[in-house]
């Protein structure tokens, strides 16, 4: 991302430009309905049950929530979205019947049968780690947490599960979403989704728990752990020690030392840093690792000490998933290309080869896009949304051509 002087994206940037009129113009002139239909139809031809039995939900008129919307084809969806100009669109599961008929069906008849395997990673779940922002704010210093998360989860889904049809999207505010569109993923039931979420989950425990990554000797040798630790290590110094300065003050370093499984080393380091607190987090981290290594050697390599550096790096930078979003088949997730109601920014796709270069501050807002349309002398000239629409088009084109590969799933046990 471009270097900025501590620029932050606040939760309410751009909201004054959102109205039924401006949203209607956006949906009518810019929303990629053709590719959107192909994506959720899993075909470029006539509508399938994947689309006609799919639930959409719309938020309109300052909070009115319309659930169980469904449409016979892409044209009907487009017509209704343009008419209602929803401030938010959520995508749900494919059901046994068209969701618009849900109220007229007997109990037990209307059930979800498939949906993309989805993941939601939100920056607020890193608030106990990041020091630059909190709540709805993000900045250049903390966004790399999302970069690390995308790399870790994407590689696990591809290499450990054999999934190939994976779309990432910026939430429009402070996080990212992942849509796994392979047929095997869409057919997973709730226990299967829990198994995948459990496989990917590594940071456990609330704010009161000091050590949140606990791996046995066996699980520590798992390919996913080894691969993830390498990804985290590549970003760790710049992200946690330089940008976040996690050992800068006693309040910060106390949280890290609390996870160290040796009271004597904790006290020694705390006393030393308290006496000379102005040393950088890079120097303090190096000093801590050296002290732990010496102690582990004296104690004949006690496992908790020998792996402390790896476990602590994972605890601070490993992806923090909202497992409830992943584990329930009927859970809704915000649609790509809708406008985030808190920021006015578009929820844009992120290409898998652009994790490191994606810049949330460059994502266009609704107001920006409409100004581009209104000031252009060429009615056919592309707006700043075009690059993201092209990423989506390429993904959908590949998806429609793809034939699912069905490799044997790896063990979900550590």
């Amino acid at each position: 991302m471009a270097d900025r002087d501590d620029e932050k994206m606040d939760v309410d940037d751009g909201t004054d430009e959102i109205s039924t009129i401006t949203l209607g113009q956006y949906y009518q002139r810019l929303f990629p309905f053709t590719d959107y239909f192909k994506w959720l139809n899993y075909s470029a031809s006539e509508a399938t049950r994947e689309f006609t039995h799919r639930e959409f939900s719309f938020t309109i008129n300052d909070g009115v929530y319309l659930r169980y919307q469904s449409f016979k084809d892409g044209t009907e969806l487009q017509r209704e979205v343009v008419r209602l100009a929803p401030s938010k669109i959520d995508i749900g599961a494919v059901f046994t019947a068209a969701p618009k008929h849900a109220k007229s069906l007997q109990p037990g008849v209307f059930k979800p049968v498939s949906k993309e395997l989805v993941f939601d990673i939100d920056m607020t779940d890193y608030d106990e780690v990041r020091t630059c922002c909190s709540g709805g704010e993000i900045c250049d210093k903390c966004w790399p947490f999302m970069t690390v998360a995308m790399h870790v989860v994407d590689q696990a889904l591809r290499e450990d599960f054999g999934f190939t049809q994976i779309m990432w999207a910026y939430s429009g505010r402070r996080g990212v979403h992942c849509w796994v569109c392979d047929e095997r993923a869409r057919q997973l039931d709730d226990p299967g989704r829990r198994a995948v979420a459990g496989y990917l989950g590594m940071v456990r425990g609330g704010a009161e728990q000091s050590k949140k990554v606990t791996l046995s000797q066996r699980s520590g040798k798992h390919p996913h752990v080894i691969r993830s630790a390498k990804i985290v290590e590549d970003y760790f110094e710049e992200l946690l020690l330089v940008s976040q300065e996690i050992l800068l003050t006693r309040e910060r370093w106390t949280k890290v030392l609390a996870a160290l499984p040796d009271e004597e080393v904790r006290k020694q380091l705390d006393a030393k840093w308290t006496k000379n607190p102005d040393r950088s987090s890079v120097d303090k981290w190096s000093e801590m690792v050296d002290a732990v290594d010496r102690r582990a050697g004296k104690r004949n390599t006690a496992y908790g000490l020998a792996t402390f550096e790896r476990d602590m790096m994972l605890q601070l930078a490993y992806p923090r998933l909202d497992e409830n979003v992943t584990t329930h088949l009927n859970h809704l997730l915000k649609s790509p290309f809708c406008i985030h109601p808190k920021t006015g920014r578009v929820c844009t796709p992120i290409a898998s080869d652009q994790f490191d270069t994606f810049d949330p501050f460059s994502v266009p807002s609704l107001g920006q896009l409409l100004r581009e349309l209104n000031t252009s002398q060429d009615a056919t000239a592309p707006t700043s949304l075009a690059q993201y629409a092209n990423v989506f088009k390429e993904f959908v084109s590949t998806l429609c051509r793809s034939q699912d590969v069905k490799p044997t799933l790896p063990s979900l046990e550590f």
Side-chain angles (χ1 to χ4, degrees), residues 124-140:
T124 55
D125 291 324
Y126 294 80
D127 277 358
E128 66 176 7
V129 176
R130 60 178 180 154
T131 61
C132 53
C133 303
S134 63
E137 290 183 338
I138 62 169
C139 71
D140 284 350

mmCIF file of all heavy atoms in Angstrom, residues 124-140:
data_model
loop_
_atom_site.group_PDB
_atom_site.id
_atom_site.type_symbol
_atom_site.label_atom_id
_atom_site.label_comp_id
_atom_site.label_asym_id
_atom_site.label_seq_id
_atom_site.Cartn_x
_atom_site.Cartn_y
_atom_site.Cartn_z
ATOM 1 N N THR A 124 -11.656 -5.996 14.213
ATOM 2 C CA THR A 124 -11.928 -5.780 15.636
ATOM 3 C C THR A 124 -11.489 -6.963 16.482
ATOM 4 O O THR A 124 -11.228 -6.801 17.681
ATOM 5 C CB THR A 124 -13.426 -5.517 15.881
ATOM 6 O OG1 THR A 124 -14.198 -6.602 15.334
ATOM 7 C CG2 THR A 124 -13.863 -4.217 15.240
ATOM 8 N N ASP A 125 -11.381 -8.150 15.890
ATOM 9 C CA ASP A 125 -10.913 -9.316 16.634
ATOM 10 C C ASP A 125 -9.421 -9.255 16.925
ATOM 11 O O ASP A 125 -8.888 -10.099 17.654
ATOM 12 C CB ASP A 125 -11.248 -10.598 15.876
ATOM 13 C CG ASP A 125 -12.745 -10.867 15.839
ATOM 14 O OD1 ASP A 125 -13.416 -10.564 16.845
ATOM 15 O OD2 ASP A 125 -13.248 -11.342 14.810
ATOM 16 N N TYR A 126 -8.738 -8.264 16.351
ATOM 17 C CA TYR A 126 -7.314 -8.053 16.612
ATOM 18 C C TYR A 126 -7.087 -6.883 17.565
ATOM 19 O O TYR A 126 -5.947 -6.453 17.756
ATOM 20 C CB TYR A 126 -6.566 -7.772 15.300
ATOM 21 C CG TYR A 126 -6.523 -8.938 14.336
ATOM 22 C CD1 TYR A 126 -7.613 -9.237 13.526
ATOM 23 C CD2 TYR A 126 -5.389 -9.736 14.217
ATOM 24 C CE1 TYR A 126 -7.579 -10.295 12.627
ATOM 25 C CE2 TYR A 126 -5.330 -10.797 13.320
ATOM 26 C CZ TYR A 126 -6.433 -11.067 12.529
ATOM 27 O OH TYR A 126 -6.399 -12.117 11.640
ATOM 28 N N ASP A 127 -8.145 -6.344 18.163
ATOM 29 C CA ASP A 127 -8.001 -5.149 18.989
ATOM 30 C C ASP A 127 -7.099 -5.370 20.196
ATOM 31 O O ASP A 127 -6.472 -4.424 20.692
ATOM 32 C CB ASP A 127 -9.369 -4.640 19.450
ATOM 33 C CG ASP A 127 -10.046 -3.777 18.397
ATOM 34 O OD1 ASP A 127 -9.432 -3.547 17.329
ATOM 35 O OD2 ASP A 127 -11.192 -3.339 18.628
ATOM 36 N N GLU A 128 -7.015 -6.599 20.702
ATOM 37 C CA GLU A 128 -6.135 -6.863 21.834
ATOM 38 C C GLU A 128 -4.668 -6.919 21.416
ATOM 39 O O GLU A 128 -3.775 -6.925 22.268
ATOM 40 C CB GLU A 128 -6.524 -8.170 22.520
ATOM 41 C CG GLU A 128 -6.306 -9.407 21.657
ATOM 42 C CD GLU A 128 -6.609 -10.688 22.416
ATOM 43 O OE1 GLU A 128 -7.115 -10.601 23.548
ATOM 44 O OE2 GLU A 128 -6.326 -11.773 21.878
ATOM 45 N N VAL A 129 -4.423 -6.946 20.094
ATOM 46 C CA VAL A 129 -3.055 -7.033 19.577
ATOM 47 C C VAL A 129 -2.620 -5.717 18.946
ATOM 48 O O VAL A 129 -1.523 -5.216 19.200
ATOM 49 C CB VAL A 129 -2.937 -8.174 18.537
ATOM 50 C CG1 VAL A 129 -1.542 -8.189 17.921
ATOM 51 C CG2 VAL A 129 -3.269 -9.519 19.168
ATOM 52 N N ARG A 130 -3.474 -5.135 18.101
ATOM 53 C CA ARG A 130 -3.056 -3.923 17.395
ATOM 54 C C ARG A 130 -3.056 -2.727 18.343
ATOM 55 O O ARG A 130 -3.881 -2.641 19.262
ATOM 56 C CB ARG A 130 -3.932 -3.659 16.177
ATOM 57 C CG ARG A 130 -5.418 -3.471 16.445
ATOM 58 C CD ARG A 130 -6.159 -3.178 15.160
ATOM 59 N NE ARG A 130 -7.603 -2.983 15.397
ATOM 60 C CZ ARG A 130 -8.390 -2.276 14.622
ATOM 61 N NH1 ARG A 130 -7.906 -1.687 13.544
ATOM 62 N NH2 ARG A 130 -9.688 -2.163 14.899
ATOM 63 N N THR A 131 -2.137 -1.817 18.110
ATOM 64 C CA THR A 131 -1.968 -0.648 18.980
ATOM 65 C C THR A 131 -2.259 0.663 18.263
ATOM 66 O O THR A 131 -2.299 1.717 18.895
ATOM 67 C CB THR A 131 -0.530 -0.598 19.527
ATOM 68 O OG1 THR A 131 0.387 -0.485 18.433
ATOM 69 C CG2 THR A 131 -0.208 -1.853 20.319
ATOM 70 N N CYS A 132 -2.456 0.613 16.947
ATOM 71 C CA CYS A 132 -2.634 1.832 16.151
ATOM 72 C C CYS A 132 -4.079 2.279 16.083
ATOM 73 O O CYS A 132 -4.372 3.476 15.984
ATOM 74 C CB CYS A 132 -2.098 1.594 14.735
ATOM 75 S SG CYS A 132 -2.790 0.116 13.935
ATOM 76 N N CYS A 133 -5.006 1.331 16.090
ATOM 77 C CA CYS A 133 -6.436 1.625 15.913
ATOM 78 C C CYS A 133 -7.250 0.722 16.819
ATOM 79 O O CYS A 133 -6.739 -0.228 17.440
ATOM 80 C CB CYS A 133 -6.873 1.371 14.464
ATOM 81 S SG CYS A 133 -5.975 2.293 13.198
ATOM 82 N N SER A 134 -8.545 0.987 16.857
ATOM 83 C CA SER A 134 -9.469 0.112 17.573
ATOM 84 C C SER A 134 -10.854 0.287 16.968
ATOM 85 O O SER A 134 -11.109 1.229 16.223
ATOM 86 C CB SER A 134 -9.495 0.441 19.075
ATOM 87 O OG SER A 134 -9.969 1.759 19.284
ATOM 88 N N GLY A 135 -11.728 -0.647 17.285
ATOM 89 C CA GLY A 135 -13.105 -0.552 16.789
ATOM 90 C C GLY A 135 -13.170 -0.575 15.282
ATOM 91 O O GLY A 135 -12.569 -1.414 14.620
ATOM 92 N N GLY A 136 -13.896 0.379 14.713
ATOM 93 C CA GLY A 136 -14.125 0.400 13.276
ATOM 94 C C GLY A 136 -13.004 1.004 12.457
ATOM 95 O O GLY A 136 -13.063 0.985 11.234
ATOM 96 N N GLU A 137 -11.967 1.532 13.102
ATOM 97 C CA GLU A 137 -10.881 2.165 12.363
ATOM 98 C C GLU A 137 -9.898 1.134 11.810
ATOM 99 O O GLU A 137 -9.661 0.088 12.423
ATOM 100 C CB GLU A 137 -10.113 3.141 13.260
ATOM 101 C CG GLU A 137 -10.880 4.389 13.625
ATOM 102 C CD GLU A 137 -10.033 5.348 14.444
ATOM 103 O OE1 GLU A 137 -9.054 4.895 15.061
ATOM 104 O OE2 GLU A 137 -10.362 6.542 14.462
ATOM 105 N N ILE A 138 -9.314 1.461 10.664
ATOM 106 C CA ILE A 138 -8.183 0.714 10.126
ATOM 107 C C ILE A 138 -7.171 1.721 9.588
ATOM 108 O O ILE A 138 -7.516 2.871 9.321
ATOM 109 C CB ILE A 138 -8.579 -0.266 8.996
ATOM 110 C CG1 ILE A 138 -9.162 0.504 7.796
ATOM 111 C CG2 ILE A 138 -9.528 -1.333 9.500
ATOM 112 C CD1 ILE A 138 -9.338 -0.351 6.553
ATOM 113 N N CYS A 139 -5.920 1.277 9.434
ATOM 114 C CA CYS A 139 -4.896 2.121 8.841
ATOM 115 C C CYS A 139 -3.854 1.236 8.176
ATOM 116 O O CYS A 139 -3.930 0.006 8.232
ATOM 117 C CB CYS A 139 -4.248 3.040 9.886
ATOM 118 S SG CYS A 139 -3.190 2.179 11.065
ATOM 119 N N ASP A 140 -2.861 1.858 7.558
ATOM 120 C CA ASP A 140 -1.807 1.105 6.882
ATOM 121 C C ASP A 140 -1.036 0.199 7.831
ATOM 122 O O ASP A 140 -0.481 -0.815 7.412
ATOM 123 C CB ASP A 140 -0.820 2.076 6.220
ATOM 124 C CG ASP A 140 -1.379 2.688 4.950
ATOM 125 O OD1 ASP A 140 -2.431 2.220 4.482
ATOM 126 O OD2 ASP A 140 -0.762 3.632 4.427
#
